[in-house]
Amino acid sequence: CCYLLALPCLTHAGIYHVQLIDSYAGTYPLIIVAIMECIGISYLYGLRRFCKDIAMMCGYQPNYYWQANWAFITPALLTFVLIFSFVFHEDVSYGDYEYPLWAVTLGNLILVFCAIWIPGVAIFWLILTPGSFYERLVKCTTPTDTWGPHLPQHRDERYAHMANPSAGLGAKYTPNDGTKL
């Protein structure tokens, strides 16, 4: 399938296709995803919880520099870059060639298709989860009982109460030959 999608890039007009894809799929969606990751880690999952997870894996917590970067500095700078990019956006061109309106529209559709999944999946799960809006929001942004290290020997006191992940999705990823992950 990917081979068929790449075929137009191998024609004589391939550089124009590559430029169009690069201008729309390689800029805005990446910035949007990075902003969403910082917000998700810092505010939805929780910066303290994330730092405790890092401490469990590495043996020490990240210092305040990293915490400030994840929570405030990086999202603010990326938001500034995104807004600045939208304000001073110029339609894609390659050398002297100006792309036609249909190509610019196609590029905008590529951008939307790449970036729509994060809010789309969040809205999907908010709609499917039972309860009031607040209850659904809390349930969708709180880790499940099986969230944490899969193997019992890797769980510290924070995850001692967690349910057995082998009963859920993790069961199909557990090796049956007795080897350790």
Side-chain angles (χ1 to χ4, degrees):
C1 180
C2 292
Y3 173 76
L4 294 176
L5 293 174
L7 277 179
C9 297
L10 301 174
T11 65
H12 290 291
I15 189 64
Y16 297 102
H17 298 286
V18 170
Q19 182 70 20
L20 181 70
I21 293 167
D22 184 53
S23 295
Y24 287 98
T27 55
Y28 298 115
L30 297 177
I31 296 172
I32 292 168
V33 167
I35 292 169
M36 293 294 121
E37 284 181 354
C38 289
I39 290 171
I41 288 170
S42 299
Y43 301 106
L44 297 179
Y45 183 67
L47 189 59
R48 286 188 190 134
R49 184 181 296 147
F50 182 65
C51 289
K52 287 180 182 178
D53 287 344
I54 290 175
M56 182 183 64
M57 292 182 281
C58 298
Y60 59 91
Q61 282 201 8
N63 60 29
Y64 291 116
Y65 168 78
W66 290 109
Q67 294 178 37
N69 270 310
W70 292 327
F72 308 111
I73 298 168
T74 302
L77 287 176
L78 287 175
T79 302
F80 173 76
V81 168
L82 184 66
I83 292 170
F84 193 81
S85 298
F86 277 132
V87 169
F88 293 102
H89 174 74
E90 294 179 3
D91 287 339
V92 65
S93 63
Y94 182 70
D96 293 335
Y97 179 74
E98 296 290 328
Y99 282 74
L101 180 61
W102 67 266
V104 173
T105 304
L106 180 64
N108 286 322
L109 288 174
I110 291 171
L111 186 154
V112 169
F113 185 75
C114 290
I116 197 71
W117 296 104
I118 294 173
V121 170
I123 291 168
F124 174 78
W125 282 110
L126 278 173
I127 291 170
L128 286 184
T129 305
S132 69
F133 178 75
Y134 180 75
E135 291 170 343
R136 291 182 287 169
L137 186 64
V138 168
K139 187 169 183 172
C140 287
T141 58
T142 304
T144 63
D145 292 341
T146 59
W147 174 255
H150 183 74
L151 299 176
Q153 64 265 29
H154 294 153
R155 298 179 198 156
D156 63 1
E157 62 277 353
R158 283 183 46 225
Y159 293 107
H161 67 283
M162 94 180 225
N164 184 4
S166 296
L169 180 63
K172 60 179 157 182
Y173 299 113
T174 304
N176 293 327
D177 59 357
T179 60
K180 293 183 179 180
L181 294 176

Short mmCIF file of all heavy atoms in Angstrom, two decimals, residues 84-141:
data_model
loop_
_atom_site.label_atom_id
_atom_site.label_comp_id
_atom_site.label_asym_id
_atom_site.label_seq_id
_atom_site.Cartn_x
_atom_site.Cartn_y
_atom_site.Cartn_z
N PHE A 84 2.44 31.92 14.80
CA PHE A 84 3.29 32.71 13.92
C PHE A 84 3.33 32.10 12.51
O PHE A 84 3.27 32.82 11.51
CB PHE A 84 4.70 32.78 14.51
CG PHE A 84 5.59 33.79 13.88
CD1 PHE A 84 5.51 35.12 14.24
CD2 PHE A 84 6.53 33.42 12.93
CE1 PHE A 84 6.33 36.07 13.67
CE2 PHE A 84 7.36 34.35 12.34
CZ PHE A 84 7.27 35.68 12.70
N SER A 85 3.38 30.78 12.44
CA SER A 85 3.40 30.10 11.14
C SER A 85 2.08 30.28 10.40
O SER A 85 2.07 30.45 9.17
CB SER A 85 3.68 28.61 11.31
OG SER A 85 4.93 28.41 11.89
N PHE A 86 0.96 30.24 11.13
CA PHE A 86 -0.33 30.45 10.49
C PHE A 86 -0.50 31.89 10.02
O PHE A 86 -1.03 32.13 8.94
CB PHE A 86 -1.48 30.08 11.43
CG PHE A 86 -1.80 28.62 11.47
CD1 PHE A 86 -1.93 27.96 12.67
CD2 PHE A 86 -1.97 27.87 10.30
CE1 PHE A 86 -2.23 26.61 12.72
CE2 PHE A 86 -2.25 26.53 10.33
CZ PHE A 86 -2.39 25.90 11.55
N VAL A 87 -0.05 32.84 10.82
CA VAL A 87 -0.20 34.25 10.46
C VAL A 87 0.62 34.59 9.22
O VAL A 87 0.15 35.30 8.33
CB VAL A 87 0.19 35.16 11.66
CG1 VAL A 87 0.31 36.61 11.23
CG2 VAL A 87 -0.82 35.01 12.78
N PHE A 88 1.83 34.09 9.15
CA PHE A 88 2.72 34.42 8.04
C PHE A 88 2.80 33.29 7.00
O PHE A 88 3.80 33.17 6.29
CB PHE A 88 4.12 34.77 8.56
CG PHE A 88 4.13 36.04 9.34
CD1 PHE A 88 4.16 36.02 10.73
CD2 PHE A 88 4.07 37.26 8.69
CE1 PHE A 88 4.16 37.19 11.46
CE2 PHE A 88 4.07 38.43 9.41
CZ PHE A 88 4.11 38.41 10.79
N HIS A 89 1.76 32.49 6.92
CA HIS A 89 1.73 31.36 6.00
C HIS A 89 1.66 31.85 4.55
O HIS A 89 0.91 32.76 4.21
CB HIS A 89 0.53 30.46 6.29
CG HIS A 89 0.34 29.38 5.29
ND1 HIS A 89 1.16 28.27 5.26
CD2 HIS A 89 -0.54 29.22 4.27
CE1 HIS A 89 0.77 27.48 4.27
NE2 HIS A 89 -0.25 28.04 3.66
N GLU A 90 2.47 31.25 3.70
CA GLU A 90 2.42 31.49 2.26
C GLU A 90 2.11 30.16 1.59
O GLU A 90 2.58 29.11 2.02
CB GLU A 90 3.75 32.03 1.75
CG GLU A 90 4.09 33.40 2.29
CD GLU A 90 5.43 33.90 1.77
OE1 GLU A 90 6.07 33.19 0.96
OE2 GLU A 90 5.83 34.99 2.19
N ASP A 91 1.31 30.23 0.54
CA ASP A 91 0.99 29.00 -0.19
C ASP A 91 2.26 28.36 -0.73
O ASP A 91 3.25 29.04 -1.03
CB ASP A 91 0.02 29.29 -1.33
CG ASP A 91 -1.38 29.59 -0.81
OD1 ASP A 91 -1.68 29.19 0.32
OD2 ASP A 91 -2.16 30.21 -1.55
N VAL A 92 2.21 27.05 -0.86
CA VAL A 92 3.38 26.29 -1.27
C VAL A 92 3.77 26.65 -2.71
O VAL A 92 2.92 26.92 -3.55
CB VAL A 92 3.11 24.78 -1.10
CG1 VAL A 92 2.02 24.29 -2.02
CG2 VAL A 92 4.37 23.98 -1.32
N SER A 93 5.07 26.66 -2.93
CA SER A 93 5.60 26.89 -4.28
C SER A 93 6.91 26.10 -4.39
O SER A 93 7.51 25.72 -3.40
CB SER A 93 5.85 28.37 -4.54
OG SER A 93 6.83 28.86 -3.65
N TYR A 94 7.31 25.88 -5.64
CA TYR A 94 8.58 25.22 -5.88
C TYR A 94 9.30 26.01 -6.96
O TYR A 94 8.91 25.98 -8.13
CB TYR A 94 8.38 23.76 -6.32
CG TYR A 94 9.67 23.03 -6.52
CD1 TYR A 94 10.47 22.69 -5.44
CD2 TYR A 94 10.10 22.69 -7.80
CE1 TYR A 94 11.66 22.03 -5.62
CE2 TYR A 94 11.28 22.02 -7.99
CZ TYR A 94 12.07 21.69 -6.90
OH TYR A 94 13.26 21.05 -7.08
N GLY A 95 10.31 26.74 -6.57
CA GLY A 95 10.99 27.63 -7.51
C GLY A 95 10.04 28.74 -7.94
O GLY A 95 9.45 29.43 -7.13
N ASP A 96 9.84 28.87 -9.23
CA ASP A 96 8.91 29.86 -9.77
C ASP A 96 7.49 29.33 -9.90
O ASP A 96 6.57 30.07 -10.22
CB ASP A 96 9.39 30.33 -11.16
CG ASP A 96 10.68 31.12 -11.06
OD1 ASP A 96 10.94 31.68 -9.98
OD2 ASP A 96 11.43 31.15 -12.06
N TYR A 97 7.32 28.03 -9.69
CA TYR A 97 6.01 27.40 -9.89
C TYR A 97 5.12 27.64 -8.67
O TYR A 97 5.48 27.29 -7.55
CB TYR A 97 6.17 25.90 -10.13
CG TYR A 97 4.86 25.18 -10.33
CD1 TYR A 97 4.15 25.33 -11.51
CD2 TYR A 97 4.35 24.36 -9.35
CE1 TYR A 97 2.95 24.68 -11.71
CE2 TYR A 97 3.15 23.70 -9.53
CZ TYR A 97 2.45 23.87 -10.71
OH TYR A 97 1.27 23.22 -10.89
N GLU A 98 3.97 28.25 -8.90
CA GLU A 98 2.96 28.43 -7.86
C GLU A 98 1.93 27.31 -8.01
O GLU A 98 1.39 27.10 -9.10
CB GLU A 98 2.27 29.79 -8.00
CG GLU A 98 3.19 30.97 -7.79
CD GLU A 98 3.62 31.12 -6.34
OE1 GLU A 98 2.83 30.76 -5.44
OE2 GLU A 98 4.74 31.58 -6.11
N TYR A 99 1.65 26.61 -6.94
CA TYR A 99 0.71 25.51 -7.00
C TYR A 99 -0.71 26.04 -7.22
O TYR A 99 -1.08 27.07 -6.67
CB TYR A 99 0.77 24.70 -5.70
CG TYR A 99 1.96 23.77 -5.61
CD1 TYR A 99 3.24 24.26 -5.38
CD2 TYR A 99 1.81 22.41 -5.79
CE1 TYR A 99 4.33 23.42 -5.30
CE2 TYR A 99 2.89 21.55 -5.72
CZ TYR A 99 4.15 22.06 -5.47
OH TYR A 99 5.22 21.23 -5.41
N PRO A 100 -1.52 25.30 -7.98
CA PRO A 100 -2.91 25.74 -8.19
C PRO A 100 -3.74 25.56 -6.92
O PRO A 100 -3.32 24.90 -5.96
CB PRO A 100 -3.40 24.82 -9.32
CG PRO A 100 -2.51 23.65 -9.29
CD PRO A 100 -1.19 24.12 -8.75
N LEU A 101 -4.93 26.16 -6.93
CA LEU A 101 -5.79 26.13 -5.75
C LEU A 101 -6.14 24.71 -5.32
O LEU A 101 -6.18 24.42 -4.13
CB LEU A 101 -7.06 26.94 -6.03
CG LEU A 101 -8.07 27.01 -4.90
CD1 LEU A 101 -7.44 27.69 -3.67
CD2 LEU A 101 -9.33 27.72 -5.32
N TRP A 102 -6.37 23.81 -6.27
CA TRP A 102 -6.74 22.44 -5.91
C TRP A 102 -5.59 21.75 -5.17
O TRP A 102 -5.81 20.95 -4.27
CB TRP A 102 -7.20 21.63 -7.13
CG TRP A 102 -6.12 21.36 -8.13
CD1 TRP A 102 -5.83 22.09 -9.23
CD2 TRP A 102 -5.19 20.29 -8.10
NE1 TRP A 102 -4.76 21.55 -9.91
CE2 TRP A 102 -4.34 20.44 -9.23
CE3 TRP A 102 -4.96 19.22 -7.24
CZ2 TRP A 102 -3.31 19.56 -9.52
CZ3 TRP A 102 -3.93 18.34 -7.52
CH2 TRP A 102 -3.11 18.51 -8.65
N ALA A 103 -4.36 22.06 -5.54
CA ALA A 103 -3.20 21.45 -4.87
C ALA A 103 -3.04 22.02 -3.45
O ALA A 103 -2.71 21.28 -2.52
CB ALA A 103 -1.94 21.68 -5.69
N VAL A 104 -3.27 23.32 -3.30
CA VAL A 104 -3.21 23.93 -1.97
C VAL A 104 -4.32 23.35 -1.09
O VAL A 104 -4.11 23.06 0.09
CB VAL A 104 -3.31 25.47 -2.07
CG1 VAL A 104 -3.42 26.10 -0.70
CG2 VAL A 104 -2.11 26.03 -2.83
N THR A 105 -5.50 23.16 -1.67
CA THR A 105 -6.61 22.54 -0.93
C THR A 105 -6.25 21.11 -0.54
O THR A 105 -6.53 20.69 0.59
CB THR A 105 -7.89 22.56 -1.78
OG1 THR A 105 -8.17 23.91 -2.16
CG2 THR A 105 -9.06 21.99 -1.02
N LEU A 106 -5.63 20.38 -1.44
CA LEU A 106 -5.18 19.02 -1.13
C LEU A 106 -4.16 19.04 0.01
O LEU A 106 -4.21 18.21 0.92
CB LEU A 106 -4.59 18.35 -2.36
CG LEU A 106 -4.08 16.92 -2.19
CD1 LEU A 106 -5.23 15.99 -1.85
CD2 LEU A 106 -3.36 16.47 -3.45
N GLY A 107 -3.25 20.00 -0.01
CA GLY A 107 -2.28 20.14 1.08
C GLY A 107 -2.95 20.44 2.41
O GLY A 107 -2.57 19.88 3.45
N ASN A 108 -3.96 21.29 2.39
CA ASN A 108 -4.70 21.58 3.63
C ASN A 108 -5.45 20.36 4.13
O ASN A 108 -5.55 20.14 5.34
CB ASN A 108 -5.66 22.76 3.41
CG ASN A 108 -4.92 24.07 3.34
OD1 ASN A 108 -3.96 24.30 4.05
ND2 ASN A 108 -5.38 24.95 2.46
N LEU A 109 -5.96 19.54 3.21
CA LEU A 109 -6.62 18.30 3.62
C LEU A 109 -5.61 17.32 4.22
O LEU A 109 -5.93 16.60 5.18
CB LEU A 109 -7.34 17.66 2.42
CG LEU A 109 -8.60 18.37 1.96
CD1 LEU A 109 -9.13 17.74 0.68
CD2 LEU A 109 -9.66 18.36 3.05
N ILE A 110 -4.40 17.28 3.68
CA ILE A 110 -3.35 16.45 4.26
C ILE A 110 -3.06 16.91 5.69
O ILE A 110 -2.95 16.10 6.61
CB ILE A 110 -2.07 16.50 3.40
CG1 ILE A 110 -2.28 15.80 2.07
CG2 ILE A 110 -0.88 15.89 4.13
CD1 ILE A 110 -1.14 16.00 1.08
N LEU A 111 -2.97 18.21 5.88
CA LEU A 111 -2.72 18.77 7.20
C LEU A 111 -3.83 18.36 8.18
O LEU A 111 -3.55 17.89 9.29
CB LEU A 111 -2.64 20.30 7.11
CG LEU A 111 -2.26 21.08 8.33
CD1 LEU A 111 -1.63 22.39 7.91
CD2 LEU A 111 -3.41 21.35 9.26
N VAL A 112 -5.08 18.55 7.76
CA VAL A 112 -6.20 18.22 8.63
C VAL A 112 -6.23 16.72 8.92
O VAL A 112 -6.45 16.30 10.06
CB VAL A 112 -7.54 18.69 8.00
CG1 VAL A 112 -8.73 18.12 8.74
CG2 VAL A 112 -7.59 20.20 7.97
N PHE A 113 -5.99 15.90 7.91
CA PHE A 113 -6.02 14.45 8.10
C PHE A 113 -4.95 13.99 9.07
O PHE A 113 -5.16 13.08 9.86
CB PHE A 113 -5.86 13.73 6.75
CG PHE A 113 -6.00 12.25 6.86
CD1 PHE A 113 -7.24 11.67 7.03
CD2 PHE A 113 -4.89 11.43 6.82
CE1 PHE A 113 -7.38 10.30 7.14
CE2 PHE A 113 -5.01 10.06 6.93
CZ PHE A 113 -6.26 9.49 7.09
N CYS A 114 -3.79 14.63 9.04
CA CYS A 114 -2.72 14.26 9.96
C CYS A 114 -3.01 14.71 11.40
O CYS A 114 -2.63 14.02 12.35
CB CYS A 114 -1.39 14.87 9.50
SG CYS A 114 -0.73 14.15 8.01
N ALA A 115 -3.64 15.85 11.57
CA ALA A 115 -3.79 16.43 12.90
C ALA A 115 -5.13 16.12 13.57
O ALA A 115 -5.28 16.35 14.77
CB ALA A 115 -3.61 17.94 12.82
N ILE A 116 -6.10 15.59 12.85
CA ILE A 116 -7.45 15.43 13.39
C ILE A 116 -7.57 14.25 14.35
O ILE A 116 -8.50 14.16 15.14
CB ILE A 116 -8.48 15.29 12.24
CG1 ILE A 116 -9.90 15.52 12.73
CG2 ILE A 116 -8.40 13.91 11.60
CD1 ILE A 116 -10.19 16.93 13.07
N TRP A 117 -6.60 13.34 14.34
CA TRP A 117 -6.74 12.10 15.09
C TRP A 117 -6.71 12.30 16.60
O TRP A 117 -7.43 11.60 17.33
CB TRP A 117 -5.68 11.09 14.67
CG TRP A 117 -5.88 10.72 13.24
CD1 TRP A 117 -5.15 11.14 12.18
CD2 TRP A 117 -6.92 9.90 12.72
NE1 TRP A 117 -5.68 10.63 11.01
CE2 TRP A 117 -6.77 9.87 11.32
CE3 TRP A 117 -7.98 9.21 13.28
CZ2 TRP A 117 -7.63 9.15 10.50
CZ3 TRP A 117 -8.82 8.49 12.46
CH2 TRP A 117 -8.64 8.47 11.10
N ILE A 118 -5.90 13.21 17.09
CA ILE A 118 -5.82 13.41 18.55
C ILE A 118 -7.15 13.92 19.10
O ILE A 118 -7.74 13.28 19.99
CB ILE A 118 -4.65 14.32 18.93
CG1 ILE A 118 -3.33 13.63 18.57
CG2 ILE A 118 -4.68 14.66 20.42
CD1 ILE A 118 -2.11 14.49 18.75
N PRO A 119 -7.68 15.04 18.62
CA PRO A 119 -8.99 15.45 19.15
C PRO A 119 -10.11 14.51 18.73
O PRO A 119 -11.07 14.32 19.48
CB PRO A 119 -9.19 16.85 18.58
CG PRO A 119 -8.29 16.96 17.43
CD PRO A 119 -7.15 16.04 17.68
N GLY A 120 -9.99 13.90 17.55
CA GLY A 120 -11.04 13.00 17.09
C GLY A 120 -11.20 11.78 17.98
O GLY A 120 -12.32 11.41 18.35
N VAL A 121 -10.10 11.15 18.34
CA VAL A 121 -10.17 9.97 19.21
C VAL A 121 -10.61 10.38 20.62
O VAL A 121 -11.38 9.66 21.27
CB VAL A 121 -8.81 9.23 19.23
CG1 VAL A 121 -8.77 8.16 20.29
CG2 VAL A 121 -8.53 8.63 17.87
N ALA A 122 -10.17 11.53 21.09
CA ALA A 122 -10.60 12.01 22.41
C ALA A 122 -12.11 12.23 22.44
O ALA A 122 -12.80 11.81 23.38
CB ALA A 122 -9.86 13.30 22.77
N ILE A 123 -12.64 12.86 21.41
CA ILE A 123 -14.09 13.09 21.33
C ILE A 123 -14.83 11.76 21.20
O ILE A 123 -15.87 11.55 21.83
CB ILE A 123 -14.42 14.04 20.17
CG1 ILE A 123 -13.90 15.44 20.50
CG2 ILE A 123 -15.91 14.07 19.88
CD1 ILE A 123 -13.92 16.40 19.33
N PHE A 124 -14.29 10.84 20.42
CA PHE A 124 -14.90 9.52 20.26
C PHE A 124 -15.06 8.82 21.61
O PHE A 124 -16.12 8.31 21.93
CB PHE A 124 -14.03 8.68 19.31
CG PHE A 124 -14.45 7.25 19.18
CD1 PHE A 124 -15.52 6.90 18.38
CD2 PHE A 124 -13.77 6.25 19.86
CE1 PHE A 124 -15.90 5.58 18.25
CE2 PHE A 124 -14.15 4.92 19.75
CZ PHE A 124 -15.22 4.59 18.94
N TRP A 125 -13.98 8.81 22.43
CA TRP A 125 -14.05 8.13 23.72
C TRP A 125 -14.91 8.90 24.71
O TRP A 125 -15.56 8.30 25.57
CB TRP A 125 -12.65 7.88 24.29
CG TRP A 125 -12.01 6.71 23.60
CD1 TRP A 125 -10.97 6.75 22.74
CD2 TRP A 125 -12.42 5.35 23.68
NE1 TRP A 125 -10.69 5.50 22.26
CE2 TRP A 125 -11.57 4.61 22.84
CE3 TRP A 125 -13.41 4.67 24.37
CZ2 TRP A 125 -11.69 3.24 22.68
CZ3 TRP A 125 -13.53 3.31 24.21
CH2 TRP A 125 -12.68 2.60 23.37
N LEU A 126 -14.94 10.22 24.61
CA LEU A 126 -15.84 11.00 25.47
C LEU A 126 -17.30 10.69 25.16
O LEU A 126 -18.14 10.66 26.07
CB LEU A 126 -15.58 12.50 25.32
CG LEU A 126 -14.43 13.06 26.12
CD1 LEU A 126 -14.18 14.51 25.75
CD2 LEU A 126 -14.69 12.94 27.61
N ILE A 127 -17.62 10.46 23.92
CA ILE A 127 -19.00 10.14 23.53
C ILE A 127 -19.37 8.73 23.98
O ILE A 127 -20.47 8.49 24.49
CB ILE A 127 -19.19 10.30 22.01
CG1 ILE A 127 -19.11 11.78 21.64
CG2 ILE A 127 -20.49 9.69 21.54
CD1 ILE A 127 -19.04 12.04 20.15
N LEU A 128 -18.45 7.77 23.83
CA LEU A 128 -18.76 6.37 24.16
C LEU A 128 -18.77 6.06 25.65
O LEU A 128 -19.40 5.10 26.07
CB LEU A 128 -17.76 5.44 23.47
CG LEU A 128 -17.92 5.25 21.98
CD1 LEU A 128 -16.93 4.23 21.46
CD2 LEU A 128 -19.33 4.82 21.62
N THR A 129 -18.07 6.83 26.44
CA THR A 129 -17.97 6.55 27.88
C THR A 129 -19.27 6.95 28.56
O THR A 129 -19.77 8.05 28.35
CB THR A 129 -16.79 7.32 28.48
OG1 THR A 129 -15.61 6.98 27.76
CG2 THR A 129 -16.61 6.99 29.95
N PRO A 130 -19.85 6.06 29.40
CA PRO A 130 -21.10 6.40 30.08
C PRO A 130 -20.88 7.38 31.24
O PRO A 130 -19.79 7.46 31.80
CB PRO A 130 -21.61 5.04 30.60
CG PRO A 130 -20.38 4.20 30.72
CD PRO A 130 -19.42 4.69 29.66
N GLY A 131 -21.92 8.10 31.60
CA GLY A 131 -21.89 9.02 32.73
C GLY A 131 -22.09 10.46 32.29
O GLY A 131 -22.29 10.76 31.11
N SER A 132 -22.05 11.36 33.27
CA SER A 132 -22.15 12.78 32.95
C SER A 132 -20.88 13.23 32.25
O SER A 132 -19.89 12.50 32.21
CB SER A 132 -22.37 13.60 34.23
OG SER A 132 -21.19 13.57 35.03
N PHE A 133 -20.89 14.44 31.72
CA PHE A 133 -19.71 14.91 30.99
C PHE A 133 -18.49 14.94 31.89
O PHE A 133 -17.40 14.51 31.49
CB PHE A 133 -19.95 16.31 30.39
CG PHE A 133 -18.76 16.85 29.67
CD1 PHE A 133 -18.42 16.36 28.42
CD2 PHE A 133 -17.94 17.80 30.25
CE1 PHE A 133 -17.30 16.83 27.75
CE2 PHE A 133 -16.83 18.28 29.60
CZ PHE A 133 -16.51 17.80 28.34
N TYR A 134 -18.65 15.42 33.13
CA TYR A 134 -17.52 15.48 34.05
C TYR A 134 -17.00 14.08 34.37
O TYR A 134 -15.80 13.84 34.40
CB TYR A 134 -17.90 16.23 35.32
CG TYR A 134 -16.76 16.30 36.32
CD1 TYR A 134 -15.70 17.17 36.10
CD2 TYR A 134 -16.74 15.49 37.44
CE1 TYR A 134 -14.65 17.24 36.99
CE2 TYR A 134 -15.69 15.54 38.34
CZ TYR A 134 -14.66 16.42 38.11
OH TYR A 134 -13.62 16.48 39.00
N GLU A 135 -17.91 13.12 34.63
CA GLU A 135 -17.50 11.75 34.92
C GLU A 135 -16.77 11.13 33.72
O GLU A 135 -15.77 10.43 33.89
CB GLU A 135 -18.72 10.90 35.27
CG GLU A 135 -19.36 11.26 36.60
CD GLU A 135 -20.71 10.57 36.79
OE1 GLU A 135 -21.29 10.07 35.79
OE2 GLU A 135 -21.19 10.56 37.93
N ARG A 136 -17.27 11.39 32.52
CA ARG A 136 -16.62 10.87 31.32
C ARG A 136 -15.23 11.48 31.15
O ARG A 136 -14.28 10.78 30.80
CB ARG A 136 -17.46 11.15 30.08
CG ARG A 136 -18.75 10.34 30.04
CD ARG A 136 -19.52 10.60 28.81
NE ARG A 136 -20.11 11.94 28.92
CZ ARG A 136 -20.70 12.59 27.94
NH1 ARG A 136 -20.76 12.07 26.74
NH2 ARG A 136 -21.22 13.79 28.13
N LEU A 137 -15.12 12.78 31.40
CA LEU A 137 -13.83 13.45 31.25
C LEU A 137 -12.82 12.90 32.25
O LEU A 137 -11.67 12.61 31.89
CB LEU A 137 -14.01 14.96 31.45
CG LEU A 137 -12.79 15.83 31.20
CD1 LEU A 137 -12.38 15.74 29.74
CD2 LEU A 137 -13.07 17.26 31.59
N VAL A 138 -13.24 12.70 33.50
CA VAL A 138 -12.34 12.15 34.51
C VAL A 138 -11.95 10.72 34.15
O VAL A 138 -10.77 10.36 34.22
CB VAL A 138 -13.00 12.20 35.91
CG1 VAL A 138 -12.22 11.38 36.92
CG2 VAL A 138 -13.13 13.64 36.38
N LYS A 139 -12.90 9.91 33.72
CA LYS A 139 -12.60 8.52 33.38
C LYS A 139 -11.67 8.43 32.17
O LYS A 139 -10.77 7.58 32.13
CB LYS A 139 -13.89 7.76 33.11
CG LYS A 139 -13.66 6.29 32.93
CD LYS A 139 -14.94 5.50 32.94
CE LYS A 139 -14.59 4.04 32.83
NZ LYS A 139 -15.72 3.18 33.02
N CYS A 140 -11.86 9.29 31.19
CA CYS A 140 -11.03 9.24 29.98
C CYS A 140 -9.62 9.79 30.21
O CYS A 140 -8.72 9.50 29.43
CB CYS A 140 -11.70 10.01 28.84
SG CYS A 140 -13.11 9.15 28.15
N THR A 141 -9.42 10.58 31.25
CA THR A 141 -8.10 11.16 31.50
C THR A 141 -7.41 10.57 32.72
O THR A 141 -6.40 11.09 33.17
CB THR A 141 -8.20 12.69 31.67
OG1 THR A 141 -9.09 12.99 32.75
CG2 THR A 141 -8.69 13.35 30.40
#
